[in-house]
């Protein structure tokens, strides 16, 4: 199986930017579709963005469109989430997840997950 590790979270003021990284090991990352999800206190885990194995197709939840960009570098076994113009409502633990067989917005359809990285946006 593939192992995933997220990094790049932190504390920023509203309007600031962060770049999250998801690094994979164990299997070539180019064989997997990847999604970013987040979970805020008291909230269900929410789909944020996804990218197909080739990098040619992407999708975002409406609340982050125009602010977040998902990308991948399969040669580095890495997927990134560039987050610009951050808002306090973006505060959450962010997770990357991988699926070899599907390209979904549902967390339960991703079998492989990282440990999460905290993003906190102050007002």
């Amino acid at each position: 199986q593939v192992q995933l590790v997220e990094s790049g979270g932190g504390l920023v003021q509203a309007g600031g930017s962060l770049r999250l990284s998801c690094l994979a090991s164990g299997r070539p990352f180019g064989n997997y579709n990847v999604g970013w999800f987040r979970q805020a206190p008291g909230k269900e885990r929410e789909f944020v963005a996804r990218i197909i194995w080739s990098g040619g197709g992407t999708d975002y939840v409406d609340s982050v469109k125009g602010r977040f960009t998902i990308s991948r570098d399969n040669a580095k076994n890495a997927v990134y989430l560039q987050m610009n113009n951050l808002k306090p409502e973006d505060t959450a633990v962010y997770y990357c997840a991988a699926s070899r067989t599907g390209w979904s917005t549902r967390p339960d359809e991703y079998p492989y997950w990282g440990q999460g990285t905290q993003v906190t946006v102050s007002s």
Side-chain angles (χ1 to χ4, degrees), residues 40-120:
K43 301 285 187 177
E44 297 292 324
R45 190 165 297 187
E46 175 192 29
F47 163 76
V48 177
R50 58 181 175 169
I51 188 166
I52 200 168
W53 65 268
S54 66
T58 60
D59 189 33
Y60 303 88
V61 68
D62 285 345
S63 61
V64 309
K65 287 180 179 177
R67 300 189 297 120
F68 291 10
T69 302
I70 188 170
S71 62
R72 68 191 302 163
D73 186 342
N74 288 336
K76 296 181 178 179
N77 282 339
V79 170
Y80 307 102
L81 186 68
Q82 179 66 46
M83 305 186 295
N84 297 326
N85 192 23
L86 283 160
K87 303 176 180 181
E89 52 262 43
D90 295 318
T91 296
V93 177
Y94 283 71
Y95 301 87
C96 67
S99 173
R100 188 172 59 85
T101 60
W103 195 56
S104 177
T105 63
R106 293 176 53 182
D108 61 303
E109 295 184 4
Y110 286 79
Y112 308 111
W113 291 82
Q115 84 291 341
T117 185
Q118 177 70 49
V119 172
T120 303

